Amino acid sequence: MKGNTIILDHLDGAEAAALMVDGKLHDLIIDSDAPRPGTVYRAIADKPVKGQGGMFLKTPDGSAFLRQIKGLAPGQEILVQVSGYAEPGKAIPVTQKLLFKSRYAIITPDAPGLNISRSIRDESLRDSLLEIAHEAMDGRDMGLILRSSCVGADADDITDDILAMAELAETVLGDDGQGAEVLSEGDGPHILAWRDWTDPADVVTDAGGFEAHSVLDAIDAARGAWVDLGGGASMYVEETRALVAVDVNTGNDASLAGGLKANLAAARALPTALRVRGLGGQIVMDLAPMPKKDRRTFESALRAALRGDTIETALVGWTPLGHMELQRKRARAPLPPEAV
């Protein structure tokens, strides 16, 4: 099956969305009981954490943790937004930098100015989008980013998106209530699919879509650690309490170039393997043996693969033992175990 297909369905009773590219699972979003990223709270400052420059906050969904708390005192009310999923047993990660994001527009209350995605290079289109932005944001002192998905979009749809996000931001920022409260719920998988998967695609909304389009089989495969890299090479992606371990193997290829070939294939496959498993945090890659002179080639391939990823991932560098370390945002709920 060629091309992109977006399937909106449910998995074990939870809302879920899958993106299949040429018949292979490319991305997966599953709802969970945890607070959704993007949720905005009116939170109450609770306990500062000495030495870490952070503070625990009280929210309706439990304890949250905020870094960089200059000027924040216990008992003070503050607006924060869930920035990702919490590690098991830890507080909800939140940020003071609120973003109101939709398919075409991102409202940035703390960063004034009208901006167009750098990936839009057509100057006439950029001028047209700036006109739309100026008209829609007239009189508002908040910032706006128009996303790359504006290419080919209807001007009225872009305007409607800007206005909806601006009005939501104004409602949240104008809050005058008291106590810990949810002010805006983060988007669920079906809305996120519409918001973030903007390439042309067939959309399936029929019940049972996951089974009909082999998504369930792909999810079952992703519950295992093994990832086929082709040519006999493979990698294992396994989550531990402390980190995600990635082990790359050459298989039967004993040639001098076998290690580099396997590692380059692992670099290309890693973002998808992490996305569909909902894995983030610290990632350590135990690569197949290759000469040190090939490290730069591998780094270039890994950076290129991560540039095409939708989830923020930092390439940290090499350890003394020759492992590659990365730090990845926990933007997905972990893939749940198979229901018994």
Side-chain angles (χ1 to χ4, degrees):
M1 183 172 56
K2 295 295 183 180
N4 296 353
T5 305
I6 295 171
I7 304 101
L8 308 180
D9 202 348
H10 289 76
L11 184 68
D12 300 330
E15 186 177 299
L19 173 62
M20 301 290 282
V21 176
D22 297 334
K24 295 183 178 180
L25 184 59
H26 184 75
D27 204 347
L28 180 67
I29 310 172
I30 302 173
D31 213 358
S32 75
D33 294 333
R36 293 170 175 172
T39 296
V40 179
Y41 297 120
R42 184 196 317 114
I44 310 298
D46 191 14
K47 300 176 183 177
V49 182
K50 295 180 179 179
Q52 293 188 29
M55 180 174 284
F56 285 107
L57 312 176
K58 295 178 182 178
T59 80
D61 294 322
S63 181
F65 185 72
L66 175 67
R67 300 182 185 277
Q68 299 174 341
I69 55 159
K70 188 177 293 184
L72 185 63
Q76 184 177 335
E77 293 182 346
I78 182 174
L79 296 184
V80 293
Q81 188 169 44
V82 178
S83 57
Y85 287 95
E87 298 178 54
K90 295 192 176 180
I92 305 164
V94 295
T95 177
Q96 288 180 271
K97 295 181 179 179
L98 308 186
L99 297 177
F100 298 88
K101 186 174 182 181
S102 191
R103 184 178 177 93
Y104 304 117
I106 303 174
I107 297 294
T108 58
D110 298 324
L114 305 180
N115 298 282
I116 311 296
S117 169
R118 286 178 291 181
S119 65
I120 300 177
R121 301 181 184 277
D122 185 291
E123 288 301 324
S124 62
L125 177 57
R126 293 182 68 88
D127 290 342
S128 298
L129 291 174
L130 276 175
E131 288 181 13
I132 294 172
H134 277 289
E135 185 175 344
M137 295 294 289
D138 185 36
R140 294 183 169 97
D141 58 1
M142 297 178 290
L144 168 69
I145 301 170
L146 289 181
R147 306 178 67 196
S148 59
S149 53
C150 289
V151 175
D154 184 83
D156 289 340
D157 291 340
I158 297 172
T159 299
D160 290 345
D161 228 20
I162 295 171
L163 293 176
M165 290 301 98
E167 288 169 6
L168 175 60
E170 288 173 340
T171 299
V172 170
L173 296 173
D175 166 67
D176 59 0
Q178 293 183 329
E181 185 178 344
V182 175
L183 300 182
S184 177
E185 189 76 41
D187 291 330
H190 292 180
I191 296 297
L192 287 174
W194 170 81
R195 193 186 85 182
D196 293 336
W197 299 343
T198 57
D199 288 340
D202 295 327
V203 179
V204 177
T205 59
D206 299 334
F210 276 9
E211 183 174 5
H213 291 268
S214 302
V215 176
L216 295 182
D217 291 338
I219 289 174
D220 286 341
R223 286 190 170 107
W226 182 75
V227 178
D228 182 17
L229 298 177
S234 63
M235 69 178 178
Y236 289 81
V237 181
E238 298 177 279
E239 185 179 29
T240 72
R241 287 185 64 86
L243 51 82
V244 176
V246 180
D247 180 34
V248 183
N249 301 295
T250 60
N252 296 324
D253 189 348
S255 67
L256 289 175
L260 178 59
K261 286 166 57 179
N263 292 335
L264 293 179
R268 293 189 291 269
L270 183 65
T272 299
L274 295 173
R275 274 198 310 274
V276 300
R277 290 168 173 79
L279 298 177
Q282 298 178 64
I283 299 162
V284 178
M285 299 185 73
D286 182 11
L287 299 168
M290 67 178 178
K292 278 191 174 182
K293 65 181 180 65
D294 290 332
R295 286 186 176 182
R296 182 165 294 181
T297 301
F298 169 77
E299 284 185 40
S300 296
L302 185 56
R303 290 184 192 279
L306 293 173
R307 276 197 299 271
D309 193 11
T310 56
I311 299 174
E312 181 183 339
T313 305
L315 197 159
V316 178
W318 299 94
T319 72
L321 290 176
H323 298 150
M324 170 57 71
E325 290 186 323
L326 304 95
Q327 182 71 35
R328 184 176 178 84
K329 185 176 181 179
R330 295 179 181 273
R332 294 280 190 273
L335 186 63
E338 187 173 6
V340 178

